[in-house]
């Protein structure tokens, strides 16, 4: 049974930083996709950052809105994916979810993911 547990959310002022963690069980992050999504009320869930390892190479993908500010990384020994968020803006305020899928074709497409965590709330004040 796959479980994803997020943590690390909180309230920060604009310009601050947070590090989110996603611990996976029943799912090997070293050979599959793990992606961070976020969602605000009334809006669709959007892809933020994704990481995958294929053929010995690690691939990272980012939404344009977070490039240069967010960094996704993984610790295979802990089966954990991190999202380091710097220079946070009020528009980054959202519930952040990690998601896992075995057959991901488009990293930002929610339909390609089978497993979701419960989410962790990030609030950025101006």
């Amino acid at each position: 049974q796959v479980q994803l547990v997020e943590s690390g959310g909180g309230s920060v002022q604009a310009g601050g930083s947070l590090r989110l963690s996603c611990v996976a069980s029943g799912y090997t992050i070293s050979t599959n996709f793990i992606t961070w999504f976020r969602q605000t009320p009334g809006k669709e869930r959007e892809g933020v950052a994704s990481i995958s390892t294929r053929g010995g190479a690690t691939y990272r993908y980012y939404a344009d809105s977070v490039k240069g500010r967010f960094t996704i990384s993984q610790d295979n020994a802990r089966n954990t994916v991190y999202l380091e968020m710097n220079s946070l803006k009020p528009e980054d305020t959202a519930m952040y979810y990690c998601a896992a899928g075995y057959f991901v074709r488009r990293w930002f497409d929610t339909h390609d993911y089978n497993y979701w965590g419960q989410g962790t709330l990030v609030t950025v004040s101006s």
Side-chain angles (χ1 to χ4, degrees):
Q1 184 180 355
V2 176
Q3 275 194 314
L4 303 171
V5 179
E6 304 99 332
S7 63
S11 297
V12 295
Q13 289 193 323
S17 299
L18 283 173
R19 188 177 80 156
L20 307 184
S21 300
C22 172
V23 180
S25 57
Y27 182 88
T28 304
I29 67 166
S30 61
T31 56
N32 291 290
F33 271 86
I34 285 279
T35 299
W36 285 97
F37 288 83
R38 65 186 181 187
Q39 188 172 26
T40 54
K43 290 191 175 180
E44 291 188 357
R45 202 166 287 191
E46 65 166 344
V48 176
S50 184
I51 190 166
S52 68
T53 302
R54 288 164 283 160
T58 298
Y59 299 87
R60 295 175 175 84
Y61 308 92
Y62 296 95
D64 288 343
S65 58
V66 306
K67 279 180 183 175
R69 300 188 299 122
F70 290 12
T71 302
I72 191 169
S73 61
Q74 63 187 48
D75 182 335
N76 293 335
R78 289 183 167 82
N79 217 34
T80 299
V81 172
Y82 303 99
L83 184 67
E84 186 76 36
M85 306 187 296
N86 298 315
S87 302
L88 282 162
K89 304 176 181 179
E91 51 263 44
D92 295 318
T93 295
M95 186 71 81
Y96 284 71
Y97 301 90
C98 65
Y102 293 110
F103 303 104
V104 176
R105 289 188 292 179
R106 300 192 303 174
W107 70 269
F108 50 85
D109 190 339
T110 58
H111 297 95
D112 286 359
Y113 295 87
N114 308 101
Y115 309 102
W116 295 84
Q118 81 289 350
T120 186
L121 181 63
V122 172
T123 304
V124 184
S125 58
S126 56

